[in-house]
Amino acid sequence: LEAAPARPDVRRVIARRDAPAPDRTRIQAATSALVHRGPDGTGFHFDGPVAFGHTRLSIIDLERGAQPLANEDGTVVTIYNGEIWNHLELRRELERAGHVFRTRADTEVLVHGYEEWGPELPARLDGMFAYAIWDSRLARLTAARDRLGKKPLYYSLSEDGLAFGSDARSVLLVSGRQPELDSELVPEYLFQRYLGAPRTLFRGVEKLPPGHRLDYDGSRLETTAYWRLTPGEPQALEAGDLRELLRTAVAKRL
């Protein structure tokens, strides 16, 4: 699929800059609730108004790929779920630009890729992913979800700040809010067993839509589309072409 030019899809919500620091007990509880998604390790990062909790499913660089993962001076930190299939190509490009890697994990491509390309990073990624990056120099959080939404990213914004996670339960545990069912959406969910982003069954909890980036600076949240599927004219596909596409897709995932 070819990436279509990104069109603005921006939403702004105001929150308090003087919100309290994250509750460590809640962060730990939310992280524990995600252990089924990553049973191989747990890591945390606390930096003033920001707290990251991560559970890891070890796939690449089993020994040194622990998360949260930071750049050389610790000013850029990421947590991430998924696989970046073109991480070796991106690594070579970033190394030519002068970036130094400490691990073989695809996670580190996000850290240095953010330093090099900023908001253009998600459009350069080939894979399935949901990530968040904290830039302490700019006091800004940025997050993104892959083009077709294979990996989930839920979030909730309130006067106390932004909570996000891989499922709605973890988000509610971070925020300390009681789940409140959005009864108006129940018929649609029962009909198709799914709700399109950004909607969820819980009031105040949203899903970042596929192909979108989220930016939050403590007072304003913006979600912006970095990719859209633009259907074109149908084209005939020969059996040999289809076989080559399948070979390429499998090779990337291996």
Side-chain angles (χ1 to χ4, degrees), residues 26 156-158 172-180 203-205:
R26 290 180 181 174
S156 177
L157 184 64
S158 70
L172 291 166
L173 285 168
V174 169
S175 65
R177 296 174 53 189
Q178 292 296 316
E180 183 181 351
R203 294 188 187 278
V205 178

Side-chain angles (χ1 to χ4, degrees), residues 56 60-67 69 101-105 108:
R56 186 185 184 204
I60 302 175
D61 199 344
L62 306 186
E63 296 180 357
R64 296 177 296 173
Q67 298 184 46
L69 191 147
F101 284 74
R102 307 188 313 273
T103 76
R104 292 183 293 105
E108 196 168 3

